[in-house]
Amino acid sequence: MFSKILIANRGEISCRIIRTAKQLGIRTVAVYSDADSHALHATLADEAIHIGASPAADSYLQYERIIEAAKKTGAQAIHPGYGFLSENASFRRRCDEADIVFIGPPVGAIEAMGSKSAAKTIMEKAGVPLVPGYHGDDQDEAILKAAADKMGYPVLLKAAAGGGGKGMRQVWAESEFSAALAAAKRESMKSFSDDKMLVEKYLTGPRHVEIQVFCDGHGNAVHLFERDCSIQRRHQKVIEEAPAPGMTEDLRKAMGDAAIRAAQAIDYVGAGTVEFLLDTDGSFYFMEMNTRLQVEHPVTEMISGQDLVEWQLRVASGETLPCEQSDLSIRGHAFEARIYAEDPANDFLPQTGTLNFLKEPGQDDHVRIDTGVIEGDTISVYYDPMISKLICWDENRDRALKRLQNALAAYSVGGLATNIDFLYNISHCAAFERAELDTGFIEKHSDELFRNSPGQRAEDLQSVIPMAALYVLLDQAQTSNTRRQHSKEADSPWNSAFGWRANSPAHCVLKLRWQDQEVTVAAEPLADAKTQGFRLTIDDLSMEASATLEERSLTAVINGHRLSASVGKHGDEYSLYLPDRAFSFSRLKADTGEFDSAQSADHFAAPMNGTIVAQIATAGSDVKKGDVLLIMEAMKMEHSITAPSDGKVVNFFFDAGELVDGGAQLLEFEASE
Ligand code: MV4
């Protein structure tokens, strides 16, 4: 076994690998970029080597520097984690040349799975079921069309060099085939510099079920059962679970045996995942094989009781597999929810910023959190905006799901938008509870999953909104008490944080705003209340309410209904963390309607570093609220800047093609009267 390994990665997976290495008494070396100079993974490792500037291309992908770091520290092996260099055959070659063990598969296996069509040819020979279709080298249109006509429509055109959903186009009728093929080839050539196409029978509503396989260097191979990863958005996994609901022992054996055949067909060594499409009739078809440890491996660990990183270290150091197939069994059920800094209310725009509030659910035998960040860390524009993976296990799916629901309810993050509420809504969705899974799940249930923003529900006016008002009132009261304590004129009205009126208790009017909504709350202190009591009036609703505010928690009683929430205040933004959602809002100045913060200016700020794609509106021309004014590209996604109201663009500050820094003002907008 190794005495020292280097982890060529960052974030949660680096921390997770370090955790197992420490348990095995293996010393660890982390690598870090400028942006990660204080990151958790760099502090957890025994040693840490700076390898370059923040952009991954200047650091985590600089494999000569990583090799040098391994040599400098005497690391005998390198664990690549996932992403970055984990499936880079050249990096594997350089490790071999440098006589440093690459903890992963051999070069041949990585290269064999690099091309979709080559992979399918190998799998076909290995007797692994493929989706009915054509994946030959002859790309004559007549050949491709004849294959489509023969299998029947709809068919799916797939770019051989594509992956992860890129380069796919559905064709629903023979008459559309020629135009669709031409378009698919153009897109593929543009994206992958290769226009080779596969034609497949289009499966409507399949599930994504993948098998964890493990092979050692002595010809042994096992599978560690399946994971259902159908809950995806734009080909990004959101919630994964193991075992797959509704799996029969026969189907599990058939898929497991096929996955092992797939691995043996490429002389695989190490941890691998064979992805299948599972059709509604129980047929399954090879999709692709991933030659790395997957993000979602923890759900397999929870139901099998195995530590897959320990298996990787043992196999890479030359040991045989720790178990035979007959030693492995499933116990219970596990879910993994990926906690991301992204804004579901803004098309999941990746978020950057400081985690100035981070309250995690307690961890135990049922709840595991794999994370690479702590409170106060920043989520930067340079890397995947994952905050953590929340993994929950119990004896069966219903109980494991309850664990997940409760853990999500207790998970609070402040300082930037997250997908926690969205994950919470999925976990409470009736169809999800009934395990009605398929790859179109999120699209199919989007109304139920995107119902977060407070104020949309009638009951909010008697719960969330008054709690928000009470939080502001008590926070201001604490502020004014502090002022009084430091003031020579303790009773001066200038020390009151509320409005002040002679000879009557302070009557206060609050204006609260969030997203594109605002509400006015009138508050009158109740003279006789034991705790901070108020009569609140919201629209035509009047209620008696009181509350106590400790460090980070608010307890309110509204018309006799006691509610609690974690709370956080960051600059001018207040946040309530309720079990089913986070509610962040700002307080408007009493009667100006202006924000306390510069939020109105933020609307036209570049959300992050990027490039201007196009000016859509014409400077000086009138636009309507919601019209797209400008499009920019950042983090490989396009972002539209829209008109917050009727008005006109006075001036654009950047032309198409120009680079912009995150936060730069992109244009000057004049709202109509
Ligand atoms: C398919 C398919 C339906 N029929 N192939 C998407 C990405 C890549 N992994 C393969 N994908 C699909 N291939 C046929 N013949 C539907 C998908 C698909 C999908 C697959 C797995 C997980 C999520 C998905 C989301 C959309 C489409």
Side-chain angles (χ1 to χ4, degrees):
M1 176 53 85
F2 310 115
S3 56
K4 184 185 285 189
I5 63 169
L6 181 146
I7 299 95
N9 212 300
R10 63 177 299 282
E12 68 86 13
I13 191 59
S14 184
C15 296
R16 184 261 171 282
I17 293 163
I18 291 168
R19 184 170 69 234
T20 290
K22 282 183 185 291
Q23 286 164 359
L24 296 175
I26 299 170
R27 295 181 61 75
T28 53
V29 179
V31 292
Y32 66 91
S33 66
D34 292 348
D36 281 341
S37 49
H38 302 294
L40 186 58
H41 76 280
T43 55
L44 287 180
D46 297 300
E47 301 173 61
I49 301 282
H50 176 258
I51 51 168
S54 302
D58 300 330
S59 45
Y60 297 103
L61 296 174
Q62 285 286 337
Y63 56 71
E64 292 303 341
R65 295 183 198 170
I66 289 168
I67 299 276
E68 274 319 299
K71 287 179 179 172
K72 178 179 177 181
T73 56
Q76 297 138 315
I78 292 176
H79 196 308
Y82 52 67
F84 294 133
L85 298 169
S86 60
E87 297 185 293
N88 184 311
S90 302
F91 178 56
R92 162 84 210 213
R93 277 198 194 88
R94 281 293 296 114
C95 291
D96 294 347
E97 288 161 8
D99 198 21
I100 296 170
V101 174
F102 176 87
I103 299 171
V107 167
I110 296 174
E111 290 182 330
M113 294 296 104
S115 153
K116 293 179 80 66
S117 53
K120 286 187 187 287
T121 303
I122 293 168
M123 293 308 150
E124 196 167 33
K125 287 181 184 146
V128 176
L130 298 184
V131 178
Y134 173 83
H135 50 269
D137 291 334
D138 188 338
Q139 292 285 299
D140 183 280
E141 176 171 339
I143 300 283
L144 296 174
K145 185 170 183 302
D149 294 349
K150 183 179 175 196
M151 66 184 89
Y153 294 85
V155 300
L156 194 61
L157 293 172
K158 282 185 179 177
K166 292 192 183 66
M168 294 196 329
R169 181 181 282 263
Q170 298 168 22
V171 186
W172 287 83
E174 182 185 351
S175 57
E176 298 167 10
F177 187 85
S178 185
L181 179 62
K185 283 177 125 16
R186 279 197 303 275
E187 284 165 18
S188 180
M189 184 54 82
K190 187 177 163 199
S191 303
F192 315 111
S193 307
D194 175 314
D195 66 355
K196 183 176 179 185
M197 284 289 137
L198 315 176
V199 189
E200 290 184 356
K201 182 70 189 144
Y202 180 61
L203 308 180
T204 52
R207 287 166 64 182
H208 172 132
V209 176
E210 59 189 34
I211 300 285
Q212 179 69 58
V213 294
F214 224 111
C215 306
D216 62 21
H218 307 280
N220 304 306
V222 297
H223 72 81
L224 290 104
F225 317 115
E226 78 281 353
R227 297 184 286 260
D228 190 308
C229 305
S230 302
I231 308 303
Q232 299 193 15
R233 183 183 169 277
R234 293 186 189 168
H235 306 293
Q236 298 296 317
K237 294 166 183 169
V238 175
I239 292 183
E240 305 100 339
E241 63 181 283
M247 181 63 77
T248 63
E249 280 311 315
D250 289 348
L251 182 55
R252 175 172 291 126
K253 184 174 185 329
M255 293 181 79
D257 292 347
I260 288 174
R261 287 199 303 277
Q264 290 171 330
I266 57 173
D267 299 324
Y268 200 74
V269 178
T273 296
V274 184
E275 294 185 349
F276 294 99
L277 286 172
L278 177 61
D279 208 351
T280 46
D281 64 0
S283 308
F284 62 92
Y285 307 101
F286 174 81
M287 212 170 5
E288 51 200 66
M289 180 172 181
N290 300 315
T291 56
R292 65 181 186 274
L293 185 67
Q294 304 261 115
V295 172
E296 60 269 23
H297 76 274
V299 294
T300 299
E301 295 186 317
M302 300 296 271
I303 67 163
S304 66
Q306 301 300 326
D307 178 330
L308 295 183
V309 169
E310 176 177 350
W311 281 42
Q312 286 186 298
L313 295 171
R314 293 193 180 286
V315 164
S317 66
E319 295 182 22
T320 56
L321 287 176
C323 290
E324 295 179 0
Q325 193 67 56
S326 57
D327 301 326
L328 294 165
S329 61
I330 294 174
R331 180 168 170 242
H333 199 100
F335 288 95
E336 177 187 84
R338 300 188 187 200
I339 311 283
Y340 264 77
E342 56 189 15
D343 185 0
N346 192 3
D347 200 24
F348 289 86
L349 182 70
Q351 302 292 297
T352 57
T354 301
L355 295 165
N356 48 36
F357 186 97
L358 180 57
K359 179 169 159 293
E360 297 174 341
Q363 295 187 63
D364 54 28
D365 290 346
H366 296 278
V367 178
R368 165 179 161 180
I369 295 174
D370 285 9
T371 187
V373 294
I374 58 173
E375 183 171 292
D377 279 358
T378 56
I379 300 291
S380 80
V381 70
Y382 300 108
Y383 315 116
D384 183 76
M386 177 186 277
I387 293 171
S388 68
K389 294 165 3 187
L390 172 62
I391 301 109
C392 296
W393 174 90
D394 210 320
E395 299 291 346
N396 59 47
R397 186 178 193 272
D398 289 350
R399 292 175 64 161
L401 183 53
K402 192 70 191 158
R403 297 273 180 187
L404 178 67
Q405 291 168 343
N406 292 342
L408 286 166
Y411 213 132
S412 305
V413 176
L416 39 73
T418 74
N419 66 340
I420 293 172
D421 297 346
F422 175 67
L423 295 168
Y424 180 93
N425 290 345
I426 293 174
S427 73
H428 278 274
C429 175
F432 188 75
E433 290 177 337
R434 294 193 300 265
E436 293 169 6
L437 308 177
D438 71 57
T439 52
F441 182 92
I442 288 176
E443 196 175 345
K444 201 178 293 178
H445 301 283
S446 58
D447 290 350
E448 189 176 345
L449 302 182
F450 291 94
R451 57 171 177 69
N452 273 336
S453 67
Q456 274 185 342
R457 304 179 215 164
E459 70 272 22
D460 289 347
L461 289 176
Q462 301 191 57
S463 57
V464 181
I465 306 301
M467 286 183 83
L470 288 164
Y471 177 26
V472 173
L473 291 166
L474 269 63
D475 178 66
Q476 302 292 354
Q478 286 180 357
T479 305
S480 61
N481 287 341
T482 305
R483 279 198 206 126
R484 276 200 190 88
Q485 284 159 11
H486 295 88
S487 159
K488 294 187 181 62
E489 300 169 75
D491 293 332
S492 157
W494 299 113
N495 287 331
S496 166
F498 311 123
W500 179 83
R501 189 179 299 157
N503 302 326
S504 75
H507 179 93
C508 171
V509 176
L510 295 175
K511 272 192 170 187
L512 309 180
R513 174 178 279 186
W514 63 95
Q515 288 161 0
D516 57 357
Q517 301 180 64
E518 76 180 46
V519 72
T520 300
V521 181
E524 194 143 359
L526 296 176
D528 61 345
K530 295 184 187 55
T531 59
Q532 294 273 10
F534 298 90
R535 168 158 298 287
L536 301 180
T537 306
I538 305 170
D539 296 345
D540 55 0
L541 283 174
S542 172
M543 61 203 82
E544 281 203 8
S546 64
T548 55
L549 176 61
E550 264 95 43
E551 178 66 16
R552 287 181 154 187
S553 74
L554 177 81
T555 301
V557 181
I558 301 160
N559 283 344
H561 180 190
R562 180 173 54 76
L563 292 158
S564 295
S566 298
V567 293
K569 187 181 174 198
H570 326 294
D572 295 303
E573 185 169 84
Y574 295 86
S575 292
L576 286 180
Y577 303 102
L578 298 135
D580 65 343
R581 62 192 132 145
F583 173 34
S584 294
F585 60 94
S586 297
R587 178 193 179 190
L588 301 182
K589 289 192 177 111
D591 26 66
T592 64
E594 285 306 309
F595 274 122
D596 290 338
S597 71
Q599 183 164 353
S600 51
D602 286 358
H603 187 88
F604 302 115
M608 58 193 70
N609 296 0
T611 309
I612 301 301
V613 173
Q615 298 172 355
I616 305 301
T618 305
S621 63
D622 289 333
V623 293
K624 292 288 182 199
K625 176 175 178 178
D627 284 356
V628 176
L629 305 176
L630 173 143
I631 294 177
M632 70 172 283
E633 184 274 329
M635 292 187 82
K636 293 182 265 181
M637 291 194 322
E638 287 195 350
H639 309 282
S640 302
I641 305 293
T642 58
S645 65
D646 294 359
K648 64 181 169 188
V649 175
V650 175
N651 189 15
F652 286 105
F653 297 134
F654 296 94
D655 293 328
E658 282 196 81
L659 294 173
V660 295
D661 291 335
Q665 287 306 302
L666 300 169
L667 56 94
E668 182 186 352
F669 183 81
E670 187 178 281
S672 303
E673 285 307 311

